Amino acid sequence: MKYKVLVTLLFALIVLQSCSKDDDIDNVANGINKIGNKQTTGSSANDILSDTKFKSIIIELVYVEGFEPTTNAIDNFKNFINTTSNKPEGISVIKKSIPSLGDTEYTIEEIADIEETNRTKYNNGQQIAVWVFFTDGKSDKDDNETVVLGTAYRNTSFVIFEETVRNFSNSPFEPNRSLLEATVINHEFGHLLGLTNFGTDLQSPHEDPEHTRHCNVTSCLMYWEAVSPSGLSDIMNGNSPPQLDAQCIADLQANGGK
């Protein structure tokens, strides 16, 4: 059976933000203000890209035991941040594993609950924090035609469906796992950077009208079908993930990026 494999983002705000006084109390419990990390996807693009407010970035990388991403993919992610964001005080990554919850598939609401339980790093002083979660199990959006590899669902949060990534990598006719991981990670982080037309303004018309929030340049990292079956073949033939095209780079530079 052939699948259309997509790196996707969540457009709807499905009860992921605080919406009551009780929630607000929880969000500032123990002296930690979580509200700044519970906003819409793309809304913190300038904060991540520029050094105006935040001088450094910390990536909290949490994975289900047995589903840790490769070191090469993490290194590639750090390099991608370095090439796009102005963070003169550096980029740090902390990793932590959690036990499996025994689920075979996850909704975004469930992912958000896992974040609420396990996230420890939030924006603090001049440091902005990003949460990345690598699951066992698949997305509940998977069906007979579409497979979701990753989703950006808040301003500093995204999930990689690592089990699915592994199912589509490291076989003779599939891409190298670390290369596919890096492609999905960088694509989802690109949405946190506001690409495409998702918090970072367009400097030229290159948003795909049929697949909004994605670039219309087929070779760009932010192309909607970046890891479609044909895209997987392109990844297999390369030594690095797809890069941002010149128009996406111009968008980021105009919003405080490199």
Side-chain angles (χ1 to χ4, degrees), residues 1 33 49-50 52-54 75 97 121 131 166 185 193 217 221-222:
M1 179 180 295
N33 189 342
L49 287 164
S50 76
T52 304
K53 184 176 181 181
F54 298 104
D75 289 343
S97 66
K121 298 299 181 182
W131 156 276
R166 294 187 180 197
I185 293 168
L193 298 179
V217 177
L221 173 69
M222 301 312 296

Side-chain angles (χ1 to χ4, degrees), residues 50-256:
S50 76
D51 62 356
T52 304
K53 184 176 181 181
F54 298 104
K55 309 297 184 185
S56 65
I57 184 170
I58 185 166
I59 308 297
E60 186 170 13
L61 193 155
V62 179
Y63 57 91
V64 173
E65 291 175 353
F67 290 87
E68 181 179 1
T70 60
T71 299
N72 285 342
I74 297 171
D75 289 343
N76 192 293
F77 181 30
K78 291 177 67 177
N79 290 335
F80 183 67
I81 299 173
N82 264 320
T83 61
T84 57
S85 301
N86 286 294
K87 292 292 174 264
E89 295 182 9
I91 300 162
S92 56
V93 176
I94 59 171
K95 297 192 296 182
K96 179 177 69 175
S97 66
I98 63 172
S100 173
L101 300 178
D103 293 339
T104 58
E105 66 178 35
Y106 293 88
T107 67
I108 288 299
E109 291 92 342
E110 289 171 331
I111 296 296
D113 287 342
I114 292 169
E115 177 182 1
E116 185 69 27
T117 301
N118 294 280
R119 182 168 182 165
T120 63
K121 298 299 181 182
Y122 295 87
N123 300 346
N124 184 21
Q126 293 186 325
Q127 183 178 74
I128 191 168
V130 170
W131 156 276
V132 190
F133 181 51
F134 294 78
T135 71
D136 56 352
K138 62 180 183 178
S139 167
D140 71 314
K141 303 300 182 184
D142 287 3
D143 56 33
N144 290 334
E145 296 182 353
T146 301
V147 176
V148 179
L149 301 183
T151 302
Y153 60 95
R154 280 179 176 157
N155 60 325
T156 62
S157 306
F158 64 94
V159 58
I160 305 298
F161 295 98
E162 177 68 13
E163 182 178 83
T164 306
V165 168
R166 294 187 180 197
N167 288 339
F168 281 87
S169 61
N170 272 12
S171 292
F173 299 102
E174 295 174 338
N176 173 272
R177 179 174 298 156
S178 64
L179 195 54
L180 182 55
E181 285 175 343
T183 300
V184 182
I185 293 168
N186 292 355
H187 180 103
E188 295 306 329
F189 186 73
H191 288 310
L192 300 194
L193 298 179
L195 297 172
T196 303
N197 197 24
F198 199 26
T200 289
D201 292 339
L202 297 177
Q203 301 304 299
S204 59
H206 63 103
E207 181 181 15
D208 188 337
E210 295 184 2
H211 306 96
T212 56
R213 313 309 191 194
H214 290 86
C215 183
N216 63 9
V217 177
T218 58
S219 60
C220 180
L221 173 69
M222 301 312 296
Y223 184 58
W224 77 279
E225 215 172 11
V227 289
S228 69
S230 59
L232 293 178
S233 298
D234 292 340
I235 294 172
M236 286 176 62
N237 295 328
N239 296 315
S240 62
Q243 303 299 303
L244 294 173
D245 82 303
Q247 295 175 99
C248 281
I249 292 173
D251 294 347
L252 298 184
Q253 290 174 339
N255 197 22

